[in-house]
Amino acid sequence: MNKWLKAAIIIPFVVIVLIVVSYFILRTGLGRSLPQVEGELNVNGINSPVEIFRGEYGIPLIYGENEEDAAFALGFVHAQDRLFQMDLMRRAASGRIAEVTNEEALPVDYMFRTIGMQRFVDSNYTRIDDNTKRIFEAYSEGVNEYIRISYGVYPPEFSLLGYYPGDWKPEDCYLIEKLFAWMLNLGWWTDVAMARVAEKTGCDKLREILPVPDGAAVIDDCPFEFSGPISNGIVETDRLFRKYLAFESSMTGSNNWVVSGERSKSGKPLMANDTHLALSKPSIWYIVSVSGGDWNAAGYTVPGVPAVIIGQNREICWSSTNLMADDSDFYIEKLDSTGARYMVDHKWRDLKIITDTIYVKDSNPVEFRIRFTHRGPLVHDIHTFGLIFKDSVKYAPVSMSWTGYRFSDNITALRKVNKAAGREELKNALADFTGPGQNFLFADTAGNIGYYAAGLLPERKLVSGIFIYNGTQSKYDWKKFTPFKQMPSVYNPGEKIIATANNDVGNGKIYISNMWEPDARVKRIKEKLAEKEKFDPEDFKMIQRDEKSLYAPLLVNPVLEAFGNAEIHDKNLGTALKLFKNWDGEMNQFMQAPAIFSYFRIELIRGIFGDEMGEKLLEEFNMIPNLPNRILEKVLAEKENSWWDNINSEEIETKDEIIRKSFLSALARLEETLGENPAEWQWGRVHSVTLKHPFSDRAAILDHLINIGPFEIGGDGTTLMNSGYSFSKPFDTNVGAAMRYICDMADPETMFCVLPGGESGNFLSDNYSDMAPLWMGGELIELNMSRVNTMRGNEKKLTLLPNRK
């Protein structure tokens, strides 16, 4: 546990005990922080009554007479269930966490002040579509009305940190959208990590292992001199930020697929989606159905943003996965002796320099400078020492360019998607979607299915974007972006199916990134869709919880070949090889082969790369497993590769020698962890998932209230039932299905949905963890957005009435 994180929200043990005792008092109604979900409330900010129905799982169904009142109600219910999450996210994005914690939060605040999301929002908010700003204003009034009427009885986290939430501003909706884009950005990791590998091992060595998309050069211009070591500070600080939000993973992924009516039992298109994000409590997603005026949509929202991001209306449904677009680049700059100028094409340019101030709870404000090139801010001095204790290392000056610095109006684009009645309206809406890059699938009631890639893709003519560039040359600057009409798209394909799973979709025509996932998941989707002629939602549920890895044989077969016909004297080695020989890649939690495979993969990565990289750099290399997974696949397919040799030994090791040594190390670790009886080597015993609250790990007695789990779990990061983990910290699941979604366009008013924990972010609520058993079992909730159908149920009803006083 990092020091600053402990200190930032540490709670004295006496207070924890009081909280536990108070828990029962809170549940009886005294000082209760749970929201009102029944009856009537007179509120300011609406023009007509709004009805909010909630069923067993607390999912709000909002019915208003116009779009503004519906947006108000959406802001109201978001605040009811997720106010602390919303406030924590905007504080992170604006660099204001230290205000409510202490100076230990300075690194994260400094990072986000340097990145400058709040500056960007302040400078560009006026450019947003006027109708969207009107919705932002109505939504914010809803949030603030809940804050007003709940004064003094906010969610428990506010009391623990000792502050009240401030008013929600319309600009905060834009700020949350920018933060979400940053959280799905992967380039900040790969560029820095790969440059640090090249710095230590050489560019030629890196070229040997790095797989590249068709038509792209991995490293075209490497000979420039480093003007100091490359800092990893922005990566480490970003990890601190994600830990603070309990979003403890840099891995992002997802599955989505759609079949046409010819392949569906209902005769209409059928779609499924599960987004693979960090598993936290509360989830990043919030399910809602909202109707008002011409806005009638149901699906998944992000608290703080008034739009359905994944979902359906009465004409279409849409889903998304991460395009894995490389949307950031880093440049080593050459500064003059004053640190106020930088060189480009043999000419000095003035850095833009501003001062900023971070306010710190119970301490003095901290003033600092931020310097900018024409590409973006200098980020090399971001580090986990904060602004109090300076890092003594003189790092190479590095600036960052990010597509998030280009003007975007993504919420307007998504609002148009929410209202789209067919392909043309959807396509026109997605043409304005700038990022983070996404693979959008859609289906409509007319029977059409399609796919669009959307987002800003910098055109890099010279090299791929997985390296730190020489900033003294303008040839590496972004000149333009790939036009939307040139992005990959598919419409009513002959095979009647479309699927994406973060695989490479560039097809050699455009450069998207070098960060795509192995194609095991997308191949498995297509394999499952080939097993039957027609499907229904129950079939899609089964596919979503499929635990077979098509990646596993890529590592298993080399093991069997490496041991060949060797005489085996060790009993457990013989048992393990027999299990491998009879294993088809099924990652069931009760099986032993998945545990052997998973330990072996960790040991093989260390065996191949650990000697050249060292432990610290290897940890960075391992941080996002998709690249190590693909690199393993590439290296294992080659008989000769210099990485097989251990540079610390005199002899030259072969591929088979490293495989055998790694496999024996894996078995030794298994025996040490689970005992010498292979029957006890069940995957679920070492592979589990816990949904963690941001305050997790302070005290066990508190964890029982705020965390959900642990649960033993199957699968891994290469299975459709995704349960990924960091290779540096195996095998605790930190990424998985942050939601699951199925829609059948035969009944567009019904959706099938689930979250890992529940709708509420308040650990006192019954809806905090009630979806967890469904999520673990692969089950979904059937939700109907029809008001007539809703009124026939046993839903709780809250009516918001205009305050006429």
Side-chain angles (χ1 to χ4, degrees):
M1 179 60 58
N2 294 289
K3 175 187 172 185
W4 79 270
L5 191 58
K6 285 184 178 179
I9 51 177
I10 194 70
I11 306 165
F13 181 77
V14 174
V15 176
I16 296 174
V17 174
L18 289 174
I19 292 169
V20 175
V21 174
S22 299
Y23 172 83
F24 300 100
I25 300 175
L26 288 165
R27 294 305 304 271
T28 64
L30 298 177
R32 188 168 180 167
S33 63
L34 297 176
Q36 179 179 342
V37 295
E38 289 185 286
E40 296 180 347
L41 272 177
N42 292 317
V43 296
N44 300 311
I46 57 175
N47 295 310
S48 56
V50 181
E51 295 175 329
I52 304 171
F53 293 87
R54 292 179 186 255
E56 177 184 359
Y57 295 98
I59 300 172
L61 295 94
I62 297 168
Y63 303 99
E65 292 185 12
N66 56 72
E67 190 175 5
E68 290 88 346
D69 287 349
F72 175 98
L74 180 58
F76 191 85
V77 299
H78 274 169
Q80 279 188 310
D81 288 329
R82 301 289 187 87
L83 183 59
F84 179 70
Q85 180 187 36
M86 293 166 66
D87 190 66
L88 189 59
M89 290 177 70
R90 70 169 169 174
R91 283 188 174 278
S94 58
R96 293 175 50 234
I97 295 178
E99 288 182 9
V100 297
T101 57
N102 57 35
E103 65 184 26
E104 300 294 340
L106 279 171
V108 174
D109 283 354
Y110 179 54
M111 181 183 74
F112 279 109
R113 296 292 182 99
T114 302
I115 293 169
M117 292 182 192
Q118 187 68 65
R119 285 193 307 273
F120 180 90
V121 167
D122 293 342
S123 299
N124 290 278
Y125 183 76
T126 57
R127 301 170 63 185
I128 289 178
D129 177 80
D130 287 339
N131 289 328
T132 297
K133 284 189 286 189
R134 176 171 49 83
I135 296 303
F136 282 177
E137 291 163 4
Y139 176 90
S140 299
E141 287 186 16
V143 176
N144 291 330
E145 187 65 1
Y146 175 75
I147 291 174
R148 181 188 67 82
I149 66 177
S150 302
Y151 182 81
V153 286
Y154 299 123
E157 293 90 344
F158 289 103
S159 297
L160 299 179
L161 291 178
Y163 80 99
Y164 282 175
D167 284 347
W168 192 267
K169 300 176 182 178
E171 293 86 349
D172 291 336
C173 300
Y174 196 23
L175 184 65
I176 296 299
E177 181 252 307
K178 300 302 289 185
L179 179 66
F180 195 61
W182 174 260
M183 292 166 74
L184 296 183
N185 170 19
L186 300 177
W188 55 266
W189 169 77
T190 52
D191 291 3
V192 174
M194 293 304 101
R196 283 168 61 83
V197 171
E199 181 184 17
K200 185 165 185 177
T201 68
C203 291
D204 289 340
K205 194 82 169 176
L206 182 59
R207 283 191 183 98
E208 282 192 71
I209 61 172
L210 207 56
V212 297
D214 293 338
V218 58
I219 306 172
D220 182 66
D221 183 11
C222 192
F224 65 88
E225 294 182 0
F226 294 98
S227 53
I230 304 299
S231 172
N232 192 45
I234 189 170
V235 176
E236 293 178 344
T237 307
D238 185 89
R239 291 167 73 179
L240 288 181
F241 145 68
R242 292 168 191 262
K243 192 158 192 170
Y244 197 87
L245 292 187
F247 207 80
E248 295 186 53
S249 174
S250 302
M251 296 176 282
T252 59
S254 303
N255 304 318
N256 66 352
W257 64 90
V258 62
V259 300
S260 68
E262 291 92 329
R263 301 292 308 278
S264 167
K265 292 179 182 177
S266 71
K268 291 291 186 179
L270 185 66
M271 178 184 290
N273 190 193
D274 52 294
T275 59
H276 303 159
L277 301 172
L279 296 174
S280 60
K281 192 66 195 81
S283 168
I284 192 68
W285 297 113
Y286 183 92
I287 306 170
V288 70
S289 173
V290 56
S291 297
D294 62 349
W295 186 22
N296 296 279
Y300 292 86
T301 62
V302 171
V305 176
V308 174
I309 297 175
I310 293 171
Q312 63 199 76
N313 58 35
R314 292 180 172 87
E315 305 292 335
I316 69 167
C317 64
W318 64 96
S319 64
S320 69
T321 67
N322 199 327
L323 184 62
M324 313 303 279
D326 187 356
D327 50 13
S328 61
D329 278 337
F330 293 81
Y331 302 82
I332 295 181
E333 307 288 356
K334 182 177 181 180
L335 306 184
D336 70 358
S337 60
T338 69
R341 296 191 302 171
Y342 67 109
M343 180 173 284
V344 180
D345 296 335
H346 307 291
K347 295 181 180 179
W348 291 106
R349 297 187 186 185
D350 290 333
L351 289 165
K352 177 184 176 182
I353 303 175
I354 66 173
T355 59
D356 202 348
T357 303
I358 298 175
Y359 293 93
V360 184
K361 183 178 181 180
D362 300 328
S363 188
N364 295 324
V366 177
E367 188 175 280
F368 58 96
R369 294 190 315 164
I370 306 173
R371 296 176 292 173
F372 303 83
T373 71
H374 66 288
R375 301 173 177 116
L378 294 177
V379 297
H380 61 283
D381 57 354
I382 294 173
H383 51 74
T384 55
F385 291 93
L387 295 171
I388 304 286
F389 304 102
K390 295 291 185 181
D391 194 334
S392 59
V393 179
K394 185 175 178 59
Y395 292 109
V398 173
S399 65
M400 182 184 76
S401 184
W402 176 39
T403 58
Y405 293 141
R406 271 61 179 181
F407 174 71
S408 62
D409 197 356
N410 289 328
I411 305 306
T412 297
L414 288 170
R415 289 184 61 247
K416 290 179 180 178
V417 170
N418 285 194
K419 301 177 183 181
R423 177 198 182 192
E424 288 304 315
E425 291 182 12
L426 178 82
K427 182 172 72 172
N428 292 336
L430 293 179
D432 296 327
F433 184 86
T434 59
Q438 296 290 295
N439 297 300
F440 284 96
L441 294 186
F442 78 93
D444 62 28
T445 54
N448 301 302
I449 63 173
Y451 159 81
Y452 291 103
L456 283 181
L457 293 182
E459 291 191 355
R460 300 172 174 95
K461 293 185 177 180
L462 297 171
V463 292
S464 69
I466 199 168
F467 204 61
I468 293 185
Y469 297 138
N470 183 347
T472 67
Q473 300 180 38
S474 63
K475 68 179 182 179
Y476 297 113
D477 290 356
W478 297 347
K479 302 298 191 299
K480 58 181 180 178
F481 299 89
T482 302
F484 177 71
K485 63 182 179 181
Q486 294 180 16
M487 301 274 275
S489 64
V490 177
Y491 184 60
N492 287 336
E495 54 268 35
K496 312 299 182 184
I497 67 168
I498 311 173
T500 77
N502 318 116
N503 50 296
D504 180 19
V505 297
N507 298 322
K509 297 178 181 178
I510 60 173
Y511 175 73
I512 295 175
S513 81
N514 202 326
M515 300 177 291
W516 70 90
E517 291 272 1
D519 60 6
R521 283 189 289 115
V522 73
K523 283 184 175 179
R524 182 59 176 164
I525 293 171
K526 293 178 179 180
E527 189 174 271
K528 294 297 292 183
L529 293 178
E531 290 180 357
K532 297 179 61 175
E533 182 61 31
K534 295 182 182 291
F535 296 87
D536 61 18
E538 288 298 320
D539 296 319
F540 276 17
K541 289 181 192 177
M542 293 290 291
I543 297 175
Q544 285 181 333
R545 59 178 182 254
D546 182 78
E547 294 179 339
K548 184 174 180 178
S549 171
L550 297 187
Y551 177 85
L554 300 175
L555 272 64
V556 169
N557 292 335
V559 170
L560 298 177
E561 292 172 3
F563 282 94
N565 297 319
E567 189 173 342
I568 306 300
H569 299 287
D570 183 271
K571 183 178 179 180
N572 281 352
L573 173 59
T575 299
L577 291 173
K578 184 177 180 181
L579 287 169
F580 260 25
K581 186 176 181 180
N582 297 320
W583 186 44
D584 65 353
E586 186 73 25
M587 301 287 289
N588 186 279
Q589 70 184 77
F590 300 108
M591 297 174 68
Q592 292 81 16
I596 300 170
F597 162 79
S598 301
Y599 273 101
F600 168 63
R601 178 167 49 182
I602 298 298
E603 292 301 314
L604 184 61
I605 290 172
R606 182 177 289 111
I608 299 173
F609 307 111
D611 53 320
E612 283 95 345
M613 294 185 186
E615 284 300 318
K616 181 63 176 176
L617 188 54
L618 184 65
E619 182 177 346
E620 296 173 29
F621 176 77
N622 274 335
M623 201 167 97
I624 302 180
N626 60 339
L627 202 52
N629 271 332
R630 284 177 41 239
I631 288 173
L632 273 183
E633 183 177 350
K634 179 179 186 297
V635 173
L636 283 167
E638 301 170 347
K639 187 170 183 61
E640 301 295 333
N641 191 299
S642 69
W643 286 84
W644 286 114
D645 178 47
N646 187 329
I647 62 173
N648 297 321
S649 66
E650 293 184 1
E651 63 273 15
I652 298 178
E653 285 80 7
T654 66
K655 171 182 173 179
D656 285 349
E657 286 173 334
I658 295 299
I659 289 174
R660 288 194 294 265
K661 182 179 179 180
S662 300
F663 194 72
L664 292 172
S665 295
L667 296 185
R669 288 191 61 195
L670 265 168
E671 290 173 346
E672 180 181 349
T673 305
L674 297 178
E676 296 189 3
N677 182 1
E680 301 296 324
W681 297 354
Q682 295 179 354
W683 178 220
R685 292 190 60 198
V686 291
H687 184 49
S688 64
V689 60
T690 300
L691 306 176
K692 292 186 178 182
H693 185 280
F695 287 7
S696 178
D697 299 328
R698 305 298 164 268
I701 194 171
L702 183 61
D703 286 350
H704 286 301
L705 291 178
I706 61 178
N707 291 344
I708 303 173
F711 306 111
E712 293 187 0
I713 194 169
D716 78 345
T718 65
T719 60
L720 297 185
M721 204 289 290
N722 193 303
S723 54
Y725 50 86
S726 167
F727 289 170
S728 296
K729 297 180 180 179
F731 297 98
D732 291 337
T733 299
N734 60 4
V735 66
M739 51 77 86
R740 294 191 184 100
Y741 169 58
I742 296 173
C743 69
D744 187 339
M745 292 313 292
D747 182 8
E749 291 192 331
T750 297
M751 64 179 288
F752 299 88
C753 54
V754 76
L755 294 174
E759 281 280 75
S760 178
N762 189 327
F763 62 82
L764 303 175
S765 170
D766 291 335
N767 299 130
Y768 185 73
S769 60
D770 54 347
M771 293 189 197
L774 299 175
W775 180 78
M776 283 295 299
E779 295 298 325
L780 282 76
I781 299 162
E782 184 174 340
L783 184 71
N784 190 286
M785 60 191 291
S786 167
R787 185 176 183 277
V788 173
N789 185 74
T790 299
M791 292 179 66
R792 292 174 181 167
N794 297 316
E795 286 79 7
K796 297 175 182 178
K797 175 184 173 184
L798 174 66
T799 303
L800 303 181
L801 299 171
N803 196 338
R804 303 299 186 187
K805 296 181 181 179

